[in-house]
Amino acid sequence: MEEKIKKSNFIRQIIEQDLASGKHQKIITRFPPEPNGYLHIGHAKSICLNFGLAQEYNGRCHLRFDDTNPEKESPEYVESIKEDVRWLGFDWNEHLYFASDYFEKFYQYAVSLIKMGKAYVCHLSPEEIREYRGTLTEPGKESPYRNRSVEENLTLFEKMRKGEFKEGECVLRAKIDMSSPNLNMRDPVIYRIKKVPHHRTGEKWCIYPTYDFAHCLSDAIEGITHSLCTLEFEDHRPLYDWFLEVLNTPARPRQIEFARLNLSYTIMSKRKLNLLVQENIVDGWDDPRMPTISGMRRRGFTPDSIRDFCERIGIAKSDSVVDYALLEHCVREDLNKKALRFMGVLDPLKVVITNYPEDKEEELEAINNPEDESAGTRKVPFSRVIYIERSDFRENPPRKFFRLAPGKEVRLRYAYYITCQEVIKDENGEVVELHCTYDPATKGGFSPDGRKVKGTIHWVSARHAKQIIVRLYDRLFRVENPGLEEKKGKSFKELLNPESLKVVKALVEPALFELKVGDHFQFERIGYFCVDKDSTPTQMIVNRTVTLRDSWAKIEAKLNKK
């Protein structure tokens, strides 16, 4: 684990150089989410990076909400973000901030720009502003309002603050360079009118700063040393630096860009995720199929597995798509060490052990977790009639099928060897019951005569089994790269996987009912699961986190051979 933490990347190298040169004595980073939706796995990468670096270099990380767009923000999102950051194992301590804390300071900074002749009130419509901006190959045109006097701009900006203009009637723009090759420098909008109550400031303000203006100034106000953001902000860096330089802020944070997380079979657009929620395509932001942190928590992913995943994918300067199988591999590795084992049958087939006494019951000893000796053992009830998984029987087995078949002997996990003697079918030819015999000398799953049995299957006692509801989750999208398919003209909703959720009733051993909501466990030979919050005292509901088959381990093994 220590080696993973010290894994180098270009951001660590920059920080170490800055500390060694004396440029900074203390590293201060920030995680600046917009409270306009729930966080997703892409945000987890940023959280782990910002908070992780601050911890590693004995600095601090601020949690700052970029709440400059009141139309889409709410306290619900604020609280969900706090919960997600804490759940991942990080704490901002007393360093919780909101961009709205600085609204008056932002306003005064804007006034300073006007007084310097570097900002003006513009009455062009949004469409006209886009038209005047030009293109990547053609320079922009100056707004007819660009050369207003300082006094006129101050008066107009004050009127904007007082609500004397309608939404969209005017904006405040920075005066930079309409012929700049960087479109972001062509007199960007820094204030716009929005007559919408704010979740913290109420109706005090009707003008709000844009992200580009508020973000760099928030960083400067808080003394951030390294402002880490994703690659789409690379072209915004000259504007970030321009504001800090022109306004001569006391602190000069350095913006550093890194590649965002793109995960196969997943979308990371908050707008699209919100559509899935609003249109009831999923069961809320914490639906276990969603790539949100709350959805992954509900599905059964652990904080350790997500932190491990974020460390493994590393920090790069160019975008790429990470295989979802790696995320599954990380949670399997973590749960393999932690999760208790139980037996459950998802598609039951009845088995009668004809030579086992009808009135007999016994308790067999089962290991709770072979990876953790301290987890101990439990008692599993056994009786004459049991249920096995239907897929563990074949009437006409293919070659190398080592499970139950007519005349074949298998091991019942923790119990006995049994041999299938008779197959009972219904009027449609469907197998409904098996009659088997057992060898009493093989209790515990071992034969005193040393004979080998290749197949081991799980089971539950019919007399003692409890019924639960199992939600079998799969990937939300049926294509590996939904974004690429969208570029070909397909709607992302067309790409949804219709098999992303199956619900079955399963029979399980009674010890499972000792678990509580949120507990993780493994159904032996099936996969890892988590007790869902929808469970009641009379009905347990569990979510499948991931199957036991680890495709990433096979992928990794092939890569290592090359």
Side-chain angles (χ1 to χ4, degrees), residues 261-266 309 313 320-329 475 480 551-552 555:
L261 171 60
N262 298 301
L263 193 62
S264 63
Y265 298 97
T266 307
F309 170 72
I313 61 177
S320 61
V321 177
V322 178
D323 195 326
Y324 191 88
L326 175 58
L327 180 60
E328 294 177 319
H329 173 74
R475 295 165 189 184
E480 186 172 353
S551 56
W552 177 260
I555 292 168

Side-chain angles (χ1 to χ4, degrees), residues 310-352:
C310 291
E311 183 63 29
R312 283 175 187 244
I313 61 177
I315 302 300
K317 292 183 181 181
S318 57
D319 281 327
S320 61
V321 177
V322 178
D323 195 326
Y324 191 88
L326 175 58
L327 180 60
E328 294 177 319
H329 173 74
C330 291
V331 75
R332 281 192 194 94
E333 272 206 341
D334 191 42
L335 290 178
N336 185 49
K337 294 176 284 189
K338 299 173 180 175
L340 298 178
R341 272 56 165 174
F342 295 93
M343 290 193 289
V345 177
L346 274 57
D347 187 9
L349 175 61
K350 185 178 179 182
V351 175
V352 179

Side-chain angles (χ1 to χ4, degrees), residues 36-80:
N36 61 357
Y38 282 56
L39 299 183
H40 54 59
I41 184 68
H43 295 110
K45 176 179 177 179
S46 181
I47 292 168
C48 292
L49 177 63
N50 280 287
F51 280 93
L53 286 172
Q55 284 181 356
E56 189 176 338
Y57 294 100
N58 297 314
R60 69 171 187 261
C61 182
H62 298 180
L63 175 60
R64 182 210 310 140
F65 288 93
D66 173 35
D67 55 345
T68 56
N69 187 0
E71 290 173 305
K72 298 181 179 180
E73 298 162 358
S74 78
E76 175 194 351
Y77 298 141
V78 170
E79 293 308 312
S80 75

